[in-house]
Amino acid sequence: GAVVSQHPSRVICKSGTSVKIECRSLDFQATTMFWYRQFPKQSLMLMATSNEGSKATYEQGVEKDKFLINHASLTLSTLTVTSAHPEDSSFYICSAKISGAGGYNEQFFGPGTRLTVL
Amino acid sequence: QKEVEQDPGPLSVPEGAIVSLNCTYSNSAFQYFMWYRQYSRKGPELLMYTYSSGNKEDGRFTAQVDKSSKYISLFIRDSQPSDSATYLCAMKGAAGNKLTFGGGTRVLVKP
């Protein structure tokens, strides 16, 4: 159980285009999902926290107008990279937390999406 | 200075050896300590988590937390080539959801 999927797994796009990445919790409901970014040989950096039915909370330094997050249902959050540029090329990973879990709330991670902007 | 420091490695060991990994941190508010395994081009997978100080064992894995020293460790016994991966430590405070990750240590277990 507790499987998180991401789609697409890999995307290559031209500079200036927008790219949408989907994150789905397959067998549980997730009130809260998280979007991370990981550069090669570096750790995960939290970009934003996505809450179902409300606006996302962005970490300092992350442009909310560039990285649009929509958490439309308890099993789906999307990240749209708008007007992508080569410096946006990275590995984007989402995670989801089981709704209503008390105490330590484990985050289950998706397999990641590799974005390459030409 | 990063909140969580982790030696990037690579750490190369022969099959069957004990792998010893560690992280140091500066934020005394961290209460939950996690270890994740990440294979190349995949998402992280939770291996262990510990609340506050102490030891925790699960199969071949042992996690230790020393809050007084702000130091956590992960030991992998009887290492296998399939243990070759990047190991990330992560930490979180008592409240909220934000995980703060270390940079990861790449481990290579040679047959």
Side-chain angles (χ1 to χ4, degrees), chain A residues 10 32 34 36 38 41-44 46 49 59 91 93 97 103-107 109-112 114, chain B residues 8 32 34 36 38 41-46 49 88-89 92 96-104 106:
Chain A
R10 173 175 285 188
T32 306
F34 307 88
Y36 294 83
Q38 186 177 33
K41 297 185 179 180
Q42 294 188 28
S43 191
L44 283 75
L46 180 65
T49 301
E59 294 299 303
F91 193 50
I93 305 176
K97 190 185 77 169
Y104 168 66
N105 299 320
E106 180 179 350
Q107 292 183 27
F109 286 83
R114 182 160 301 282
Chain B
Y32 294 95
M34 283 69 71
Y36 288 85
Q38 185 178 23
R41 301 178 182 178
K42 300 292 184 183
E45 171 194 10
L46 180 69
Y49 85 87
L88 300 157
C89 64
K92 145 176 150 48
N97 300 304
K98 181 178 178 179
L99 296 179
T100 302
F101 283 86
R106 186 176 169 216

Side-chain angles (χ1 to χ4, degrees), chain B residues 7-65:
Chain B
D7 189 324
L11 177 62
S12 183
V13 300
E15 183 176 356
I18 295 175
V19 176
S20 176
L21 303 165
N22 58 77
C23 289
T24 58
Y25 62 96
S26 57
N27 189 344
S28 58
F30 289 141
Q31 294 288 333
Y32 294 95
F33 304 90
M34 283 69 71
W35 286 96
Y36 288 85
R37 177 175 63 197
Q38 185 178 23
Y39 292 111
S40 182
R41 301 178 182 178
K42 300 292 184 183
E45 171 194 10
L46 180 69
L47 289 175
M48 304 273 292
Y49 85 87
T50 308
Y51 173 70
S52 194
S53 286
N55 297 352
K56 189 173 184 178
E57 187 173 321
D58 184 1
R60 297 186 296 116
F61 299 93
T62 299
Q64 294 182 350
V65 175

Side-chain angles (χ1 to χ4, degrees), chain B residues 8-19 21 76 79-87 105-111:
Chain B
L11 177 62
S12 183
V13 300
E15 183 176 356
I18 295 175
V19 176
L21 303 165
I76 307 173
S79 58
Q80 304 296 312
S82 58
D83 294 325
S84 298
T86 296
Y87 290 81
T105 299
R106 186 176 169 216
V107 172
L108 300 172
V109 181
K110 297 184 176 180

